[in-house]
Amino acid sequence: MTDFLTTTRHTYAIVAENYDEFAPPIAEDVQDRALLTAFADLVRDAGPVADLGCGTGRVAAYLASAGLDVTGIDLSPEMLAIARRDHPELRFSEGSLLELDLPDGGLAGAAAWYSIIHTPPARLPEVAAELFRVLRPGGHLQLAFHVGDRRHHRTDGYGKDGFSLDIYWLPVERVCGLLSGAGFEILTQVLRDPAARVPQGRVLARKPAE
């Protein structure tokens, strides 16, 4: 397994039980709730949707409550175990954004909520190409990520320490460029909390219809 995938998987094995204490439910965040509701409105009744990098399933659960046929996919077995425990009505499976076990054009929509933040920027074109592959023509992608231009290295967090993890902060325009380079149309760019220590980015994109 690629080194960054190994370290990411190891870190989330350590923090899995504490993760949700530091990640409030989507329904409590007015801005993200609005963005994900808009995404749900675009893909509802169009076919299956995946929450890629689903973690403990909080985004998948919100999308399911909005009427979507959603599956969660994550790299970490420990995070998936909690997702299955807390959301037994939903489907979850293990996988990597670099090589998803999904058919070409199989999804009407995909959400990747902070799922690209541990991927080295040099590998992000591969991720963008894989996201493009699994979406059907006209399918929509919703991304969330940290905004900046740096590599942030962490050895503690979520009430735990003893791990080593890189987090990449990316300019919104660079993320849009990566998606455009893979063939996506950019629909919406959002910069959340620009004065915060770590601003947050949101991008909604579409695979062009045939």
Side-chain angles (χ1 to χ4, degrees), residues 121-206:
R123 305 294 302 273
L124 286 174
E126 298 172 59
V127 172
E130 186 69 347
L131 294 171
F132 190 85
R133 180 188 70 81
V134 299
L135 282 169
R136 63 185 54 172
H140 289 80
L141 170 68
Q142 176 74 71
L143 287 182
F145 51 95
H146 301 310
V147 173
D149 194 2
R150 59 170 292 198
R151 178 179 67 89
H152 176 59
H153 186 72
R154 294 191 67 170
T155 56
D156 60 66
Y158 301 104
K160 300 287 185 177
D161 55 22
F163 57 82
S164 178
L165 184 68
D166 288 332
I167 301 171
Y168 296 93
W169 303 359
L170 300 167
V172 174
E173 58 271 19
R174 186 179 304 170
V175 173
C176 291
L178 286 164
L179 295 177
S180 296
F184 283 101
E185 302 170 342
I186 306 302
L187 301 181
T188 305
Q189 306 174 44
V190 175
L191 177 62
R192 281 202 56 177
D193 310 315
R197 183 181 66 85
V198 187
Q200 307 300 312
R202 308 286 186 264
V203 172
L204 177 68
R206 177 175 58 205

Side-chain angles (χ1 to χ4, degrees), residues 10-25:
H10 172 71
T11 296
Y12 282 98
I14 294 172
V15 306
E17 283 294 341
N18 295 69
Y19 184 84
D20 279 346
E21 297 176 23
F22 299 87

Side-chain angles (χ1 to χ4, degrees), residues 25-203:
I26 294 296
E28 295 180 4
D29 187 313
V30 173
Q31 295 184 62
D32 282 351
R33 187 175 72 221
L35 291 168
L36 285 169
T37 298
F39 168 77
D41 288 345
L42 287 167
V43 301
R44 188 179 294 108
D45 301 323
V49 172
D51 176 12
L52 303 174
C54 66
T56 57
R58 66 192 190 100
V59 171
Y62 183 79
L63 295 176
S65 73
L68 303 189
D69 175 16
V70 60
T71 298
I73 299 174
D74 198 83
L75 184 67
S76 167
E78 289 78 11
M79 296 285 272
L80 288 169
I82 294 170
R84 293 182 180 114
R85 180 196 69 195
D86 293 347
H87 310 288
E89 74 283 4
L90 300 181
R91 303 181 303 276
F92 296 98
S93 62
E94 188 175 334
S96 163
L97 286 178
L98 287 169
E99 191 175 1
L100 293 163
D101 186 18
L102 294 170
D104 293 356
L107 297 177
W113 211 250
Y114 295 101
S115 306
I116 65 171
I117 63 173
H118 304 304
T119 303
R123 305 294 302 273
L124 286 174
E126 298 172 59
V127 172
E130 186 69 347
L131 294 171
F132 190 85
R133 180 188 70 81
V134 299
L135 282 169
R136 63 185 54 172
H140 289 80
L141 170 68
Q142 176 74 71
L143 287 182
F145 51 95
H146 301 310
V147 173
D149 194 2
R150 59 170 292 198
R151 178 179 67 89
H152 176 59
H153 186 72
R154 294 191 67 170
T155 56
D156 60 66
Y158 301 104
K160 300 287 185 177
D161 55 22
F163 57 82
S164 178
L165 184 68
D166 288 332
I167 301 171
Y168 296 93
W169 303 359
L170 300 167
V172 174
E173 58 271 19
R174 186 179 304 170
V175 173
C176 291
L178 286 164
L179 295 177
S180 296
F184 283 101
E185 302 170 342
I186 306 302
L187 301 181
T188 305
Q189 306 174 44
V190 175
L191 177 62
R192 281 202 56 177
D193 310 315
R197 183 181 66 85
V198 187
Q200 307 300 312
R202 308 286 186 264
V203 172

